[in-house]
Structure formats: structure tokens, C-alpha cells
């Protein structure tokens, strides 16, 4: 039941991400319609050239929108087989799903790819964990109203592990012991927090990838560490 609930909750978060991805293009579409409407209302007509130009723009926007849906659909399709993937690829995928909502909130994202290790496994699961962590960092930055909000993502390979860290400058986690954030249903101060994201992420990393999902408070904020053994 818990697992089912986890899935529903992470779907909910994803839908939130889609909503963000769509807000901007929807506004652009609506401004194109307004332009066409005002031409007709105030000038009595619109030229064929102008109309075709605006239709062209609209087609670009709608194709972008359908691409985002396609990305999300692939993302949620059950992965059939394990495969080799580069971390950079799953990082780009995760970032492409959250970056509109980061941009809208003026959150800077810095990515430091010191190494680009290869994993073997279900690649979307890794992206899913990363999205949860990035969404949480965004939530914390917004909740605390941080002045120059920033997230730093770094990747390295140390001994035989891939190490990915995500650190923000939202001031850190106050709850003690800090590991409580991984408990199911633990959520703090959020309007629609479910407390499922980190629980599910830890489950994925530790049960399916044989790795570790760790948290600590860094100098400026929370720091999450994903450590996966390489083969
Ligand atoms: N980067 C962060 N900075 C501060 N607190 C965090 C951060 N990430 C997670 N948390 C805390 O951990 C809690 C649990 O996170 P999560 O399991 O994703 O559930 P939810 O996001 O639904 O609250 C959050 O409510 C928040 O209090
Ligand atoms: Mg969360």
C-alpha cells in the first residue's frame, strides 16, 4: 500500500512539473491569439502573411508542448531492461523537467561534472531520485524566501563509487536527527507536502541500486549525496 501511495505521490509531483513546463508556452499561445484578435478588431483584417507567420509560431509552441508530454510519458513507462547509462544523460533529463520551475523562481543551477561515470541499471529511476531532490531544494529556497537562491549539483567518481551531490543555500534541515527526512510521511511546513519523495528515493537508491542516499547540512544549506557502487 505504501509503495502504491509513493507512486501516486510522485506522479502528483510530476504533474506539478508538467504544469510548470506548460505555463510559459500557454501564455505565448494566448498572446498570439490576442494579437490576431486585435488586428481583426481594430484594423478590420489580418494579412495572410501575418496570419501564416502566427500559425507557424503556434505550431512550434504546440510541438514543444507535445514533446514535454512525450518526455514525461517515456519517463513513467515501466522500464523493461537494465542498461548502461552515463550520469550526464540522466542529469540532463532531470534538469529538463525541473528547469522551467527553477527559472520562473530565479533559482540558479550550477552543474559541475568532474567525472561522468557509467551506471548499469534502470536509468529513469536515477533521474526520478534526482528530480525529487531538486524539487525539494526548490521548495526550501522558496519557503525561506532566500535572496540569491542557488543549487549546486556536482558529480565525481571516487574509489569505485559515483558520487553525486546536490547542495542548496536554503539554510539546511533543522529536524533532529536529520535522517528523519527519509521517513515516510515526514513533511515540514509545505502546503502540499506528502513526505513521500525522500522515502521513495532512499528506497530506490538503497534497494535497487545497492547505493546510499545520505544527507547532511553543508555550509549554506542541505546537501544530499547519492553514492552508487560502479562495476
Ligand atoms: N533541501 C532541503 N532543505 C531543507 N529541508 C529539506 C530539503 N529537502 C528536504 N527537506 C525536508 O524534508 C522533508 C521531506 O521531503 P520529501 O520526502 O520530499 O517530502 P515533501 O517534499 O513532500 O515534504 C521536507 O518536507 C523538508 O522539510
Ligand atoms: Mg519532496
Amino acid at each position: 500500500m505504501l509503495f502504491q501511495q509513493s507512486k501516486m505521490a510522485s506522479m502528483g509531483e510530476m504533474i506539478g512539473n508538467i504544469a510548470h513546463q506548460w505555463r510559459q508556452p500557454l501564455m505565448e499561445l494566448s498572446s498570439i491569439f490576442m494579437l490576431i484578435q486585435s488586428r481583426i478588431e481594430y484594423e478590420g483584417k489580418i494579412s495572410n502573411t501575418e496570419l501564416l507567420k502566427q500559425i507557424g509560431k503556434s505550431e512550434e509552441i504546440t510541438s514543444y508542448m507535445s514533446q514535454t508530454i512525450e518526455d514525461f510519458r517515456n519517463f513513467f513507462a515501466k522500464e523493461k531492461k537494465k542498461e548502461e547509462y552515463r550520469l550526464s544523460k540522466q542529469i540532463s533529463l532531470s534538469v529538463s523537467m525541473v528547469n522551467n520551475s527553477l527559472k520562473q523562481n530565479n533559482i540558479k543551477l550550477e552543474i559541475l561534472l568532474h567525472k561522468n561515470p557509467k551506471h548499469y541499471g534502470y536509468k529513469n529511476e536515477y533521474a526520478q531520485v534526482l528530480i525529487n531532490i531538486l524539487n525539494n531544494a526548490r521548495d526550501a529556497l522558496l519557503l525561506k524566501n532566500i535572496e540569491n537562491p542557488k543549487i549546486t549539483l556536482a558529480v565525481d567518481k571516487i574509489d569505485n563509487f559515483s558520487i553525486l551531490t546536490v547542495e542548496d543555500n536554503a539554510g539546511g534541515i533543522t529536524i533532529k536527527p536529520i535522517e528523519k527526512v527519509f521517513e515516510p510521511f515526514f513533511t515540514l511546513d509545505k502546503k502540499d507536502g506528502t513526505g513521500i519523495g525522500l522515502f521513495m528515493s532512499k528506497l530506490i537508491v538503497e534497494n535497487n541500486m545497492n547505493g546510499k542516499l545520505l544527507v547532511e547540512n553543508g555550509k549554506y544549506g542541505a546537501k544530499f549525496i547519492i553514492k552508487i557502487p560502479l562495476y
Side-chain angles (χ1 to χ4, degrees):
M1 209 175 93
L2 197 55
F3 191 72
Q4 208 46 40
Q5 237 169 343
S6 304
K7 268 196 113 155
M8 288 308 289
S10 79
M11 288 275 216
E13 282 202 30
M14 279 301 161
I15 290 170
N17 285 113
I18 298 182
H20 271 293
Q21 297 289 95
W22 274 32
R23 194 160 297 153
Q24 180 68 25
L26 277 175
M27 296 220 306
E28 285 169 21
L29 273 182
S30 129
S31 77
I32 288 176
F33 295 146
M34 263 162 57
L35 181 134
I36 295 173
Q37 191 182 23
S38 76
R39 282 290 153 79
I40 292 171
E41 276 178 3
Y42 296 104
E43 293 167 28
K45 63 174 174 359
I46 181 164
S47 74
N48 285 351
T49 335
E50 179 67 18
L51 192 54
L52 284 175
K53 185 175 138 201
Q54 298 306 332
I55 290 173
K57 273 202 218 165
S58 309
E59 278 172 350
E60 263 174 47
I61 296 169
T62 50
S63 99
Y64 165 81
M65 292 171 81
S66 79
Q67 188 54 51
T68 54
I69 281 289
E70 200 49 35
D71 290 348
F72 279 98
R73 240 166 53 89
N74 287 338
F75 187 74
F76 268 105
K78 181 108 189 68
E79 288 179 275
K80 297 216 174 51
K81 56 176 179 27
K82 293 186 173 193
E83 55 190 303
E84 232 177 35
Y85 61 91
R86 287 251 179 228
L87 234 59
S88 58
K89 191 93 190 290
Q90 294 320 96
I91 293 171
S92 326
L93 176 66
S94 318
V95 168
S96 76
M97 293 197 191
V98 301
N99 72 358
N100 271 19
S101 103
L102 297 182
K103 265 194 213 143
Q104 275 163 31
N105 294 299
N106 288 318
I107 298 172
K108 227 206 235 158
L109 175 66
E110 185 179 28
I111 298 177
L112 307 169
L113 209 63
H114 302 300
K115 288 270 167 59
N116 189 9
K118 253 194 246 164
H119 286 174
Y120 179 76
Y122 298 112
K123 59 183 188 330
N124 284 351
E125 288 190 343
Y126 194 88
Q128 199 173 338
V129 170
L130 202 47
I131 290 172
N132 280 334
I133 294 173
L134 291 170
N135 277 341
N136 281 343
R138 176 206 57 207
D139 293 346
L141 290 163
L142 293 182
L143 198 73
K144 308 243 171 78
N145 227 330
I146 300 296
E147 197 151 336
N148 290 307
K150 185 177 173 191
I151 302 172
T152 306
L153 190 162
V155 188
D156 215 333
K157 191 171 129 183
I158 297 172
D159 298 328
N160 227 13
F161 290 91
S162 83
I163 311 278
L164 181 145
T165 59
V166 178
E167 190 168 2
D168 59 59
N169 63 348
I173 293 164
T174 45
I175 197 83
K176 284 194 183 107
I178 196 171
E179 282 74 25
K180 249 189 162 26
V181 294
F182 296 116
E183 284 175 12
F185 311 118
F186 174 82
T187 177
L188 202 67
D189 300 332
K190 285 192 200 178
K191 209 164 56 235
D192 22 53
T194 60
I196 290 292
L198 287 178
F199 165 71
M200 177 131 166
S201 300
K202 199 171 175 73
L203 210 69
I204 292 174
V205 170
E206 307 203 340
N207 289 17
N208 301 3
M209 301 179 182
N210 233 337
K212 284 260 176 258
L213 177 60
L214 306 165
V215 63
E216 59 190 46
N217 281 320
K219 202 162 166 200
Y220 305 104
K223 179 175 180 180
F224 284 87
I225 304 155
I226 311 175
K227 187 174 171 186
I228 309 282
L230 301 170
Y231 296 99

